[in-house]
Amino acid sequence: MASPAPPSAASAAAAANPRFNSKRKHKPKPKVDGPSALNPNWAQLQSKLPRPTATLGKRKHRPDPSPATAPTEPSPPAEAAEVEVKLEPTSDDTSLTKTVAIDCEMVGVGADGGKSALGRVTLVNSCGNVVYDEYVRPVERVVDYRTHISGIRPKHLYKAKDFWVAQNDVAELIKGRILVGHALHHDLKVLLLSHPKKDIRDTSEYEVFRREGKRRSLKDLTAQVLCAKIQQNEHCPIEDARAAMFIYNKYKKAWEKNLREQFRFRNKLKKRGKKKSAEGDGNDPNVPTVFL
């Protein structure tokens, strides 16, 4: 009779520990693939995060973020570009201030209407309020009203002021005051008036407003400096004078400082010229006169 086989190691372990079961299989530990297994939104969030463009040491090349996820610069809203700024007085003050702005509209006189004559003159104060606005009847017969630009029609001149009356009024109003305007030589020419150069502030002559040394239109300057539109159709002298005044007010501090420096420099040159002329004068009292 064959002898029984010796107990194996497994049977011995089972005899020693009844809980041990050789047929029981060990369950594998769950593998953690990463944060995406725990949070399904992690991959989407990670794709939106900016990645550094520069790395230290040797690292694997990281592809640039796709155009869809790359950050873009914010663009201004479409409504902001369409907002139109209106030129309105800054206060209710209608007094005659130290600084006034002028604008004139002309009509055509002469044989073919090519000669300009005053048809309307407007003055506004530093706040933009009107202090004088009159239609003017020229001395010569009007041939061309230039309505598409001047806005003047025959009915406006029926009861208009005579030229000499309007000229005298304007001369009294601007006397001793700083005169602001655009291309003021045209306005003063049709008014047959002059004004001290030191008291003129012409927005067409100020070097800061020039483009490549060339004068710019009041319409262009107003759009850039004030973000407002003027002279879309017929010109309004109130609006044009107000635009010139507001442009001057915006640059007044730097403008006046620049003028003071220019006048100071010119005075130095004059003093040097007088000194040199005195030194070269043969009648210098310090040089003795020799009689022969």
Side-chain angles (χ1 to χ4, degrees), residues 118 121 132 136 161-174 188-194:
L118 182 65
V121 56
Y132 189 83
V136 180
K161 282 193 174 184
D162 290 333
F163 172 78
W164 305 113
V165 176
Q167 182 198 46
N168 185 66
D169 292 343
V170 174
E172 290 296 324
L173 290 172
I174 67 176
L188 293 174
K189 183 178 179 180
V190 296
L191 280 163
L192 300 180
L193 293 175
S194 61

Side-chain angles (χ1 to χ4, degrees), residues 75-82:
S75 57
E79 295 80 8
E82 298 177 357

Side-chain angles (χ1 to χ4, degrees), residues 124-223:
V124 301
N125 62 10
S126 60
C127 301
N129 287 307
V130 177
V131 294
Y132 189 83
D133 181 34
E134 294 289 344
Y135 288 98
V136 180
R137 185 186 300 108
V139 177
E140 301 181 53
R141 185 176 66 88
V142 178
V143 176
D144 185 3
Y145 288 89
R146 303 177 185 176
T147 306
H148 64 288
I149 296 177
S150 67
I152 299 175
R153 292 165 173 79
K155 63 179 182 179
H156 294 140
L157 302 186
Y158 288 157
K159 297 181 180 180
K161 282 193 174 184
D162 290 333
F163 172 78
W164 305 113
V165 176
Q167 182 198 46
N168 185 66
D169 292 343
V170 174
E172 290 296 324
L173 290 172
I174 67 176
K175 186 177 180 180
R177 290 182 168 79
I178 295 176
L179 187 63
V180 179
H182 191 83
L184 282 170
H185 58 283
H186 292 308
D187 301 314
L188 293 174
K189 183 178 179 180
V190 296
L191 280 163
L192 300 180
L193 293 175
S194 61
H195 200 69
K197 189 174 181 180
K198 66 181 182 64
D199 292 335
I200 288 179
R201 305 294 183 268
D202 195 330
T203 53
S204 71
E205 297 291 342
Y206 189 35
E207 57 270 17
V208 175
F209 299 148
R210 294 193 178 191
R211 180 178 293 166
E212 298 179 355
K214 297 181 180 179
R215 298 183 183 92
R216 299 166 62 187
S217 66
L218 180 60
K219 181 179 180 180
D220 186 19
L221 278 177
T222 304

